């Protein structure tokens, strides 16, 4: 039962729930688990891992954003870095707290500013046009392998300015990073099994001499030249690009095609008003939560909604559940491209909120805008298959056909 953290006793007043949130069948189809988690109470104790879980919007937001009580420096997965060695040197932006976090975050904010994202827009649009034109000639194809994975692994290395692009390694590294956040289950073991070779490749690809001038990667090394961070830290922040920038956008594109294929009337709204692309993406994020859960660790004795939380408690913050909380969203089960779900938690919230969201939005804006221009209908040819992930809610395969306008 003990993972790499201290199992805590159930707090007084917290519901005790005998469930494995990392069971493959739950990860593949989490909606009922989300609803039950919210129904059990504001804070739930899960004996299987000796952790707490929150899934109502208010408490998830509270725990996720309060970095002084609920730290990231002890890891944002089940492993508590205070007691267990991390599988890789911890991220210097994800797995740290203020004030250390503030310095590295500042450099990343600049490297992925709205201006930088806008400067990549033409490249994103051209790539989306070429890919979608090609896919329109196909009878049917796997939306995951041939679109969701291809687009980010083509445009993201270019935006970073990588000389070495290896789509397979980029996707697999993302899976390693995200699956490592869960327990030592077969999902994590399968991803980490491929670690040594991929880590060696990733580490090399982050070096300054493997980055082109003018890319987002080089900007980090320039920040090092200016004394804002060290050269070694620049390499680690490039690694953060590759950890967080590929698997997430791959998942988001697959999930968007799923939502739009399943809701043709909503897709028609997007076609009628392509300026809805941005709003549509936010609704895809809310509705599918590509990152379904991240943890925090209580760094002191505290309480949430009247439930006492002991220092060292791991708290599973179920973002996917918060994004489906009817108390917040009214009719969360309906996918509506024009909902404009302000405050959804798919990018997190607070000082650790996704620093790449401008780039993610620019990529998705290109994909959805070109789709709306060129594609009259997204036809699902078979029932989509979800891929159980310890932190990602992603499709494994989805056979689709794109129809010409
Ligand atoms: C999985 C993930 C999310 C965000 C940042 C990073 C990783 C990182 O490595 O910095």
């Amino acid at each position: 039962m003990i993972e790499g953290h201290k199992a805590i006793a159930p707090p007084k007043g917290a519901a005790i729930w005998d469930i494995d949130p990392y069971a493959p069948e739950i990860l593949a189809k989490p909606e009922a688990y989300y609803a039950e988690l919210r129904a059990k109470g504001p804070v739930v104790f899960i004996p299987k891992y000796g952790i707490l879980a929150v899934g109502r919007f208010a408490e998830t937001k509270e725990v996720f954003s309060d970095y002084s009580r609920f730290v990231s420096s002890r890891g944002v997965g089940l492993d508590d870095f205070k007691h267990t060695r991390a599988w890789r040197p911890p991220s210097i932006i994800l797995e740290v707290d203020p004030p250390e976090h503030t310095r590295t975050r500042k450099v990343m904010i600049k490297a992925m500013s709205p201006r930088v994202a806008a400067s990549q827009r033409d490249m994103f649009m051209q790539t989306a046009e070429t890919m979608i034109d090609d896919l329109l000639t196909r009878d049917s194809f796997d939306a995951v392998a041939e679109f969701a994975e291809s687009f980010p692994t083509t445009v993201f290395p270019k935006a970073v300015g990588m000389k070495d692009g290896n789509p397979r390694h980029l996707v697999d590294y993302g899976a390693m990073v995200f699956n490592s956040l869960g327990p030592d289950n077969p999902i994590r073991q399968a991803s980490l099994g491929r670690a040594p070779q991929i880590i060696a490749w990733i580490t090399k690809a982050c070096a300054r001499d493997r980055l082109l001038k003018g890319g987002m990667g080089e900007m980090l090394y320039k920040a090092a030249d200016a004394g804002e961070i060290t050269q070694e830290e620049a390499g680690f922040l490039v690694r953060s690009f590759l950890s967080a920038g590929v698997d997430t956008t791959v998942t988001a594109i697959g999930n968007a095609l799923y939502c739009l294929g399943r809701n043709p009337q909503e897709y028609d709204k997007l076609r009628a008003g392509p300026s809805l692309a941005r709003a549509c993406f936010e609704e895809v994020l809310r509705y599918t939560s590509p990152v379904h859960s991240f943890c925090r660790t209580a760094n002191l004795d505290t309480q949430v909604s009247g439930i006492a939380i002991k220092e060292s408690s791991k708290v599973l913050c179920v973002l996917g559940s918060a994004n489906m909380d009817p108390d917040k969203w009214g009719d969360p089960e309906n996918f509506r491209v024009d909902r404009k779900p302000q405050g959804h938690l798919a990018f997190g919230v607070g000082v650790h909120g996704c620093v790449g969201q401008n780039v993610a939005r620019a990529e998705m804006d290109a994909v959805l805008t070109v789709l709306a221009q060129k594609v009259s209908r997204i036809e699902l040819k078979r029932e989509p298959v979800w891929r159980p992930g310890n932190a990602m809610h992603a499709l494994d395969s989805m056979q689709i056909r794109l129809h010409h306008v």
Side-chain angles (χ1 to χ4, degrees), residues 1 91 143 148 168 183 204 277 302 304 345:
M1 183 266 263
S91 163
R168 199 63 262 148
K204 275 194 203 143
T302 182
V304 167
L345 299 185

mmCIF file of all heavy atoms in Angstrom, residues 1 91 143 148 168 183 204 277 302 304 345:
data_model
loop_
_atom_site.group_PDB
_atom_site.id
_atom_site.type_symbol
_atom_site.label_atom_id
_atom_site.label_comp_id
_atom_site.label_asym_id
_atom_site.label_seq_id
_atom_site.Cartn_x
_atom_site.Cartn_y
_atom_site.Cartn_z
ATOM 1 N N MET A 1 0.816 -1.213 0.000
ATOM 2 C CA MET A 1 0.000 0.000 0.000
ATOM 3 C C MET A 1 0.843 1.254 0.000
ATOM 4 O O MET A 1 0.542 2.215 -0.707
ATOM 5 C CB MET A 1 -0.940 -0.049 1.223
ATOM 6 C CG MET A 1 -1.902 1.096 1.342
ATOM 7 S SD MET A 1 -1.303 2.424 2.382
ATOM 8 C CE MET A 1 -2.089 2.046 3.917
ATOM 9 N N SER A 91 11.935 19.052 -11.799
ATOM 10 C CA SER A 91 11.778 20.253 -12.619
ATOM 11 C C SER A 91 12.038 21.485 -11.755
ATOM 12 O O SER A 91 11.590 21.547 -10.606
ATOM 13 C CB SER A 91 10.364 20.304 -13.188
ATOM 14 O OG SER A 91 10.065 21.611 -13.649
ATOM 15 N N ALA A 143 -7.019 9.397 -35.875
ATOM 16 C CA ALA A 143 -6.851 10.801 -35.504
ATOM 17 C C ALA A 143 -5.733 11.005 -34.491
ATOM 18 O O ALA A 143 -5.132 12.082 -34.424
ATOM 19 C CB ALA A 143 -8.166 11.357 -34.951
ATOM 20 N N ALA A 148 -3.329 14.131 -34.185
ATOM 21 C CA ALA A 148 -3.067 14.675 -32.842
ATOM 22 C C ALA A 148 -1.578 14.617 -32.506
ATOM 23 O O ALA A 148 -1.025 15.567 -31.941
ATOM 24 C CB ALA A 148 -3.885 13.927 -31.803
ATOM 25 N N ARG A 168 8.683 10.339 -31.938
ATOM 26 C CA ARG A 168 8.426 9.217 -31.037
ATOM 27 C C ARG A 168 8.983 9.489 -29.647
ATOM 28 O O ARG A 168 8.323 9.315 -28.631
ATOM 29 C CB ARG A 168 9.073 7.958 -31.652
ATOM 30 C CG ARG A 168 8.590 6.622 -31.176
ATOM 31 C CD ARG A 168 7.134 6.342 -31.467
ATOM 32 N NE ARG A 168 6.295 6.617 -30.306
ATOM 33 C CZ ARG A 168 5.051 7.045 -30.380
ATOM 34 N NH1 ARG A 168 4.458 7.265 -31.531
ATOM 35 N NH2 ARG A 168 4.350 7.276 -29.287
ATOM 36 N N PRO A 183 0.895 6.046 -9.032
ATOM 37 C CA PRO A 183 1.511 5.000 -8.205
ATOM 38 C C PRO A 183 2.401 4.124 -9.075
ATOM 39 O O PRO A 183 2.419 4.268 -10.297
ATOM 40 C CB PRO A 183 0.303 4.207 -7.706
ATOM 41 C CG PRO A 183 -0.728 4.372 -8.774
ATOM 42 C CD PRO A 183 -0.533 5.762 -9.322
ATOM 43 N N LYS A 204 20.428 15.537 -24.430
ATOM 44 C CA LYS A 204 21.260 16.091 -25.520
ATOM 45 C C LYS A 204 20.504 17.175 -26.284
ATOM 46 O O LYS A 204 21.071 18.212 -26.626
ATOM 47 C CB LYS A 204 21.653 14.982 -26.501
ATOM 48 C CG LYS A 204 22.889 14.223 -26.071
ATOM 49 C CD LYS A 204 23.418 13.381 -27.239
ATOM 50 C CE LYS A 204 24.260 12.235 -26.706
ATOM 51 N NZ LYS A 204 24.104 10.989 -27.468
ATOM 52 N N ALA A 277 -13.179 29.678 -32.356
ATOM 53 C CA ALA A 277 -12.115 28.685 -32.157
ATOM 54 C C ALA A 277 -11.542 28.755 -30.745
ATOM 55 O O ALA A 277 -11.339 27.724 -30.091
ATOM 56 C CB ALA A 277 -11.013 28.858 -33.202
ATOM 57 N N THR A 302 -3.177 21.831 8.619
ATOM 58 C CA THR A 302 -4.095 22.876 8.185
ATOM 59 C C THR A 302 -5.502 22.291 8.111
ATOM 60 O O THR A 302 -5.751 21.196 8.616
ATOM 61 C CB THR A 302 -3.641 23.468 6.827
ATOM 62 O OG1 THR A 302 -4.527 24.523 6.453
ATOM 63 C CG2 THR A 302 -3.614 22.419 5.728
ATOM 64 N N VAL A 304 -9.224 22.210 5.392
ATOM 65 C CA VAL A 304 -9.957 22.625 4.194
ATOM 66 C C VAL A 304 -11.416 22.262 4.415
ATOM 67 O O VAL A 304 -11.725 21.114 4.737
ATOM 68 C CB VAL A 304 -9.395 21.941 2.926
ATOM 69 C CG1 VAL A 304 -10.332 22.125 1.745
ATOM 70 C CG2 VAL A 304 -8.000 22.474 2.582
ATOM 71 N N LEU A 345 -10.224 24.632 -14.659
ATOM 72 C CA LEU A 345 -8.940 24.312 -14.026
ATOM 73 C C LEU A 345 -8.029 23.454 -14.907
ATOM 74 O O LEU A 345 -7.027 22.915 -14.431
ATOM 75 C CB LEU A 345 -9.184 23.607 -12.681
ATOM 76 C CG LEU A 345 -9.954 24.418 -11.638
ATOM 77 C CD1 LEU A 345 -10.031 23.647 -10.313
ATOM 78 C CD2 LEU A 345 -9.326 25.790 -11.401
#
